[in-house]
Amino acid sequence: MFTILVAEDDKNLQKLMAAVLKQNGYEVLCARDGREALDLLDTHHVDLIISDIMMPEMNGYELTSSLRRADYQLPILMVTAKDTLDDKKKGFSSGTDDYMVKPIDMDEMMLRVAALLRRSRIMNEHRLTIGAVTLEYDTLTVTRENESETLPKKEFYLLFKLLSYPRQIFTRQQLMDEIWGLDAESDERTVDVHIKRLRERFSHFPEFELVTVRGLGYKAEKHI
């Protein structure tokens, strides 16, 4: 299942978008502005963003530009009441992938979401490739040449998260909140145990390593 983040300060429109997306089988996260969206991205895996432009704290242009500078490549669909060519140029220049003008036709929005996911090769593949190594999200498998291994869910999600954002440091609490859930009874040592297991499984893989950042948490390093 794919997760879509809706950044929209109009509560009624935000609720409507979220409801339609959920009806179509997507997980949905909601933010009222760009800053809340960035906070959610720190703790959740997101496949696509739908963002309004005019929002408090941080607008859609600033959010998109910030994500592209940080090398986030996920698709972004910008939604706005601004329909001039200059507004659209500004949106595309900031790094958005597509553009819709309010009032929003929900059927059209769903078509654009599906097209963006296909275009980014997430819909068809939902995979991550590092050199000779391939992680298949839907089957929880890690493959290298003729070697393939299916991981327990938590181990796979942890590895996929770290390798999706190489060199980005994640605290144990961030990883706990996203992978085990906010209400999980496990403590942060659970992350340490899973990291140890992953290191043992893939110690012979030269393509990547999981690095402990003392006092902070963990990050992945690619060696390709």
Side-chain angles (χ1 to χ4, degrees):
M1 186 176 291
F2 300 98
T3 301
I4 296 176
L5 171 57
V6 177
E8 169 63 65
D9 63 327
D10 182 323
K11 289 185 178 180
N12 290 331
L13 181 56
Q14 182 193 92
K15 287 181 180 178
L16 177 59
M17 286 181 172
V20 172
L21 288 163
K22 288 176 182 176
Q23 287 170 4
N24 282 270
Y26 296 103
E27 292 282 351
V28 182
L29 300 170
C30 292
R32 70 180 186 90
D33 57 42
R35 292 203 182 281
E36 283 191 6
L38 290 178
D39 288 342
L40 286 169
L41 282 165
D42 279 341
T43 56
H44 295 79
H45 175 80
V46 173
D47 296 296
L48 181 145
I49 294 175
I50 301 175
S51 177
D52 188 16
I53 288 182
M54 301 306 293
M55 299 182 290
E57 298 296 327
M58 177 185 282
N59 65 39
Y61 296 136
E62 294 166 335
L63 170 62
T64 302
S65 295
S66 175
L67 291 173
R68 296 314 188 210
R69 286 195 303 270
D71 202 31
Y72 279 85
Q73 299 302 316
L74 76 171
I76 299 174
L77 171 60
M78 197 166 275
V79 174
T80 182
K82 294 175 173 288
D83 61 354
T84 69
L85 181 59
D86 285 343
D87 291 323
K88 291 182 179 180
K89 282 182 179 178
K90 187 173 181 180
F92 285 117
S93 295
S94 68
T96 190
D97 296 278
D98 201 358
Y99 204 103
M100 287 191 72
V101 178
K102 296 178 181 179
I104 301 301
D105 182 286
M106 292 298 152
D107 289 336
E108 181 184 354
M109 182 185 75
M110 294 312 307
L111 290 172
R112 288 178 182 269
V113 164
L116 285 169
L117 288 171
R118 278 198 304 272
R119 195 179 306 158
S120 66
R121 305 186 72 174
I122 294 174
M123 182 67 82
N124 290 330
E125 297 184 12
H126 213 177
R127 67 174 59 174
L128 184 63
T129 301
I130 305 104
V133 179
T134 300
L135 282 72
E136 295 280 1
Y137 194 91
D138 294 329
T139 58
L140 307 178
T141 56
V142 179
T143 303
R144 184 176 188 272
E145 298 174 346
N146 295 323
E147 178 182 354
S148 184
E149 185 170 2
T150 301
L151 302 188
K153 280 186 178 181
K154 302 301 186 187
E155 284 187 36
F156 183 89
Y157 293 156
L158 180 58
L159 182 63
F160 195 92
K161 175 68 175 182
L162 292 170
L163 289 175
S164 293
Y165 304 98
R167 294 183 293 177
Q168 181 172 330
I169 299 168
F170 292 94
T171 67
R172 290 173 176 82
Q173 190 60 55
Q174 285 176 322
L175 295 169
M176 282 295 301
D177 289 347
E178 176 170 354
I179 296 167
W180 280 266
L182 295 172
D183 299 322
E185 295 181 1
S186 304
D187 62 29
E188 293 181 7
R189 287 173 294 181
T190 301
V191 177
D192 299 335
V193 171
H194 281 68
I195 290 287
K196 181 180 179 181
R197 289 175 184 165
L198 288 168
R199 284 172 173 161
E200 291 171 351
R201 286 182 189 275
F202 303 113
S203 61
H204 60 298
F205 280 24
E207 287 84 357
F208 64 84
E209 66 175 320
L210 304 181
V211 178
T212 301
V213 182
R214 191 173 299 277
L216 292 175
Y218 295 101
K219 66 177 180 177
E221 291 282 358
K222 294 183 180 180
H223 302 301
I224 55 172

